[in-house]
């Protein structure tokens, strides 16, 4: 963004066009990696068509990505999360010799981008090390992976120590997000119930306070404020958390906003179908023992911080590509397990790595 804004200006038509093209390219790479992961999972012919169908059904999200998400980190974070799952699959199959170090790089990027994807990438790194525990040189590989993560994360912590007076390795605004989503009048989704003037982007008084006391002290005060509201009414916090969890699968019209051609009602309907398929796939992965670990780690875990704070559609899109994969994976396993192998060739395995599933 800084590289685009420097020559073309902040929020100018040209800078927005360029950022939209960048975001569209990121989205396209996510589609390509999704299809590659489906191929690597050695799914049936049915699985490949399911993935293509899901991507086509939700292709309207490109509009949201290139207009709303172009100035946020969620698009690239979604692709990084997806790449982490691909790296794990290739490492388990033995085909990805350098996948462990690739996952370490992705985890390092997690420290610098969206902290919500960081636990998933670190857990993926742990799964790799556990999978390769009997391979020679495990200790050396583990040390090298750890050094890669530290080499990417530590400079950010040092920068924060120098600039903010505190060694912080990840994004430091969780306290503010927690307060925003749980303040009196909050309803669950973002942009609703913002009654307290606490966000520096929305309140000149809050911005002045950040300037006066510093970012670290302000975020600490927001954490105390949020915890005070939660402790005063834990039942309400539980209700809001449940609402946000539901909205992460079934976004409301207020979260969706305006879409050309299709309109809000159609988009909400398609997202509801997609969310229902995802929810069913999460249950199916447990029932069919179909990679429940990766499904939950890459498809659900990144959404948990937003269940506690507040929710935009762009937060939900963090797991869009991995959701396509997990829905495809579970439907494919059900077809392979319960339908005769010869029906229209649906039960025939692909040419990918057969031990990946």
């Amino acid at each position: 963004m800084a590289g685009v804004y420097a020559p073309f200006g902040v929020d100018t038509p040209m800078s927005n066009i360029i950022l939209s093209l960048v975001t569209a390219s990121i989205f396209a790479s996510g589609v390509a990696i999704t299809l590659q992961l489906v191929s690597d999972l050695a799914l049936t012919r049915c699985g490949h068509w399911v993935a293509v169908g899901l991507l086509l059904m939700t292709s309207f999200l490109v509009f949201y990505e290139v207009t709303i998400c172009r100035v946020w980190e969620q698009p690239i974070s979604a692709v990084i999360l997806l790449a982490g799952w691909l790296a794990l699959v290739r490492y388990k199959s033995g085909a990805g010799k350098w996948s462990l170090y690739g996952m370490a790089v992705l985890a390092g990027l997690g420290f610098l981008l969206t902290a919500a994807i960081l636990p998933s990438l670190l857990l993926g790194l742990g799964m790799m090390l556990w999978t390769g525990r009997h391979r020679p040189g495990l200790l050396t590989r583990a040390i090298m992976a750890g050094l890669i993560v530290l080499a990417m994360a530590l400079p950010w912590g040092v920068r924060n120590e120098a600039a903010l007076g505190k060694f912080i390795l990840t994004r430091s605004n969780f306290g503010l997000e927690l307060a925003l989503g749980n303040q009196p009048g909050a309803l669950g989704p973002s942009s609703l119930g913002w009654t307290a003037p606490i966000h520096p982007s929305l309140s000149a008084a809050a911005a002045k306070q950040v300037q006066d006391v510093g970012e670290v002290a302000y975020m600490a005060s927001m954490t105390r404020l949020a915890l005070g509201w939660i402790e005063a009414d834990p039942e309400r916090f539980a209700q809001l958390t449940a609402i946000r969890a539901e909205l992460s699968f079934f976004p409301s019209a207020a979260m969706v906003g305006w879409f050309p051609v299709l309109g809000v009602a159609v988009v909400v309907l398609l997202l509801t179908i997609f969310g229902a398929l995802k929810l069913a796939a999460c249950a199916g992965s447990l029932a069919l023992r179909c990679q429940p670990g990766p499904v939950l780690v890459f498809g659900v875990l990144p959404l948990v911080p937003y269940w506690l704070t507040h929710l935009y559609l762009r937060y939900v899109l963090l797991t869009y590509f991995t959701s396509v994969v997990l829905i495809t994976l579970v439907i494919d396993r059900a077809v392979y397990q319960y339908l005769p192998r010869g029906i229209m060739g649906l039960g025939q395995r692909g040419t990918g790595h057969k031990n990946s599933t």
Side-chain angles (χ1 to χ4, degrees):
M1 285 172 56
V4 172
Y5 285 161
F8 299 107
V10 176
D11 199 27
T12 62
M14 182 56 69
S15 66
N16 287 337
I17 289 172
I18 293 173
L19 289 175
S20 292
L21 291 172
V22 170
T23 306
S25 300
I26 293 172
F27 190 92
S29 68
V31 171
I33 297 173
T34 297
L35 297 176
Q36 183 60 59
L37 179 53
V38 167
S39 178
D40 279 30
L41 285 168
L43 303 188
T44 64
R45 187 179 303 172
C46 173
H48 287 79
W49 282 112
V50 167
V52 171
L54 289 171
L55 290 168
L56 290 174
M57 184 184 80
T58 54
S59 59
F60 57 84
L61 291 174
V62 176
F63 171 79
Y64 189 87
E65 291 268 1
V66 302
T67 56
I68 304 299
C69 299
R70 62 187 171 201
V71 295
W72 299 99
E73 72 281 356
Q74 275 81 20
I76 186 63
S77 297
V79 173
I80 289 172
L81 186 69
L82 177 68
W85 195 349
L86 177 63
L88 176 63
V89 168
R90 291 196 166 181
Y91 186 78
K92 284 184 174 182
S93 71
K97 181 179 179 181
W98 301 100
S99 295
L100 180 68
Y101 303 133
M103 181 72 89
V105 171
L106 296 174
L109 290 174
F111 277 98
L112 305 176
L113 291 169
T114 307
I117 67 174
L118 181 57
S120 298
L121 296 171
L122 291 177
L123 284 172
L125 190 60
M127 290 179 189
M128 284 182 166
L129 293 173
W130 178 255
T131 299
R133 64 190 181 278
H134 300 305
R135 301 178 187 178
L138 173 64
L139 181 59
T140 301
R141 292 196 303 274
I143 292 174
M144 286 295 297
L147 289 175
I148 290 172
V149 175
L150 288 176
M152 298 185 68
L154 284 178
W156 179 242
V158 172
R159 176 267 176 197
N160 288 334
E161 176 69 35
L164 304 177
K166 186 175 181 180
F167 188 80
I168 304 170
L169 286 177
T170 62
R171 295 274 289 276
S172 59
N173 62 335
F174 182 78
L176 175 60
E177 304 297 326
L178 190 66
L180 277 174
N182 296 285
Q183 62 181 286
L187 302 176
S190 303
S191 302
L192 297 178
W194 281 359
T195 56
I198 58 177
H199 201 297
S201 295
L202 303 173
S203 166
K208 181 65 166 58
Q209 188 177 353
V210 174
Q211 188 178 35
D212 291 341
V213 304
E215 182 179 327
V216 173
Y218 187 77
M219 292 303 166
S221 70
M222 289 297 101
T223 300
R224 292 191 296 269
L225 186 64
L227 293 178
W229 283 328
I230 292 171
E231 291 171 1
D233 196 346
E235 183 178 349
R236 176 176 170 275
F237 172 67
Q239 291 173 345
L240 288 173
T241 302
I243 290 171
R244 288 185 288 255
E246 179 184 356
L247 289 173
S248 68
F249 287 92
F250 307 107
S252 65
M255 290 173 59
V256 167
W258 178 79
F259 273 82
V261 183
L262 294 180
V264 176
V266 174
V267 168
V268 170
L269 174 62
L270 292 173
L271 288 177
T272 299
I273 295 172
F274 187 78
L277 289 172
K278 179 178 178 178
L279 193 61
C282 289
S285 70
L286 296 174
L288 298 174
R289 297 179 182 179
C290 180
Q291 295 197 24
V295 162
L296 295 177
V297 166
F298 293 101
V300 178
L301 182 59
L303 296 175
V304 173
Y306 304 116
W307 297 353
L308 304 176
T309 56
H310 62 107
L311 204 65
Y312 286 105
L313 181 59
R314 59 185 172 86
Y315 295 162
V316 176
L317 295 184
L318 198 62
T319 60
Y320 165 63
F321 293 116
T322 54
S323 296
V324 171
V325 175
L326 76 90
I327 294 170
T328 300
L329 182 64
V330 173
I331 291 178
D332 176 86
R333 172 58 63 88
V335 168
Y336 184 72
Q337 187 164 328
Y338 294 111
L339 289 184
R341 305 291 185 265
I343 295 181
M344 298 175 63
L346 293 179
Q348 296 177 2
R349 284 292 183 192
T351 58
H353 309 299
K354 295 187 178 181
N355 60 345
S356 298
T357 53

